[in-house]
Structure formats: C-alpha cells, structure tokens
Amino acid sequence: MEISELDPNIKGTQEELIRHQEKTRKFKEYVQGLFIDLYTQDEFNRRVDAIFNETFKRNQNDK
C-alpha cells in the first residue's frame, strides 16, 4: 500500500477517535452527575448502563 493510500485512512481514524473521545467525555459527565447515595447499587448500575447505551450504542452508525 502506498503512503498516499494510507492518508485517507489515517484521517478517518483520527475523526473516529475524536468522536469517541467526545462520547467518552459526555459519558463521564453524565455518570459524575449521579448521586450514588440516592440509589441502591442495582439502581445505580442500571442507570450507568442506560447512560452507556444512550451515549455509545445508540450512535454507533454516526459516522
């Protein structure tokens, strides 16, 4: 593979990394906003799972 062929792949990978970093930042902010003392461990886990699914899985096709 030529270097000129690799350049578009590198740019696409960089853009994907930036999107993933933004989603990770949002996930962290959402989870930090939860008050763990308001929930049982199971409720807290369900909320974190829901936030994860909303943040990452729902937008998998966003490219």
Side-chain angles (χ1 to χ4, degrees), residues 3-61:
I3 291 177
S4 61
E5 294 175 302
L6 291 174
D7 189 46
N9 292 338
I10 291 171
K11 287 181 182 179
T13 302
Q14 286 174 325
E15 291 169 1
E16 183 178 341
L17 175 61
I18 291 167
R19 282 192 301 273
H20 186 70
Q21 287 173 329
E22 179 63 21
K23 288 179 181 183
T24 302
R25 184 190 61 75
K26 286 180 184 179
F27 175 73
K28 181 179 174 184
E29 287 175 2
Y30 293 148
V31 171
Q32 285 176 338
L34 294 177
F35 295 104
I36 194 166
D37 55 337
L38 297 179
Y39 307 107
T40 66
Q41 185 65 47
D42 287 338
E43 290 171 330
F44 182 79
N45 289 344
R46 280 194 297 273
R47 289 185 181 271
V48 170
D49 286 344
I51 291 169
F52 178 86
N53 290 334
E54 180 71 19
T55 304
F56 290 98
K57 294 184 178 181
R58 180 179 63 112
N59 296 321
Q60 278 183 335
N61 294 326

